[in-house]
Amino acid sequence: PPSLPYLDADNPSPSDPATRAALDVMQALPPDVVVQVGRIAAPSVASITLTLTDGRVVVWGTTDHTDEKAMKLAALLTQPGHTYDVSSPDLPTVK
């Protein structure tokens, strides 16, 4: 459906680790961030990227510290930029 983000995974299925990782990320995001996600790419469990509906990109990385990354991303998205990197939640960046 149009309201759901597009999932870009090599082998999308309930048993695919990358698909599960992408779904875990989406579940961790606050509702006001979820509605902004247009696409989630999960070529592997270690390389997850979100593309927001306005074209901004979120580099997520692995599912390690997912809850912490989700919290920091919500704050980062209030800052101007194009790329939001929360792959290292101790040092999130905006470019």
Side-chain angles (χ1 to χ4, degrees), residues 31-89:
D32 60 322
V33 175
V34 168
V35 299
Q36 298 180 57
V37 179
R39 176 186 206 99
I40 183 163
S44 74
V45 296
S47 184
I48 298 170
T49 304
L50 311 172
T51 303
L52 306 183
T53 55
D54 63 5
R56 295 182 292 171
V57 175
V58 177
V59 178
W60 195 271
T62 69
T63 55
D64 293 342
H65 309 286
T66 291
D67 291 334
E68 183 180 0
K69 290 178 183 182
M71 181 181 68
K72 291 191 176 177
L73 176 61
L76 282 181
L77 289 177
T78 65
Q79 303 300 312
H82 181 266
T83 304
Y84 300 79
D85 189 337
V86 292
S87 60
S88 176

Side-chain angles (χ1 to χ4, degrees), residues 6-36:
Y6 179 83
L7 171 62
D8 186 4
D10 291 341
N11 300 303
S13 76
S15 61
D16 176 49
T19 299
R20 297 286 316 152
L23 295 174
D24 289 345
V25 168
M26 290 299 295
Q27 288 179 335
L29 295 174
D32 60 322
V33 175
V34 168
V35 299
Q36 298 180 57

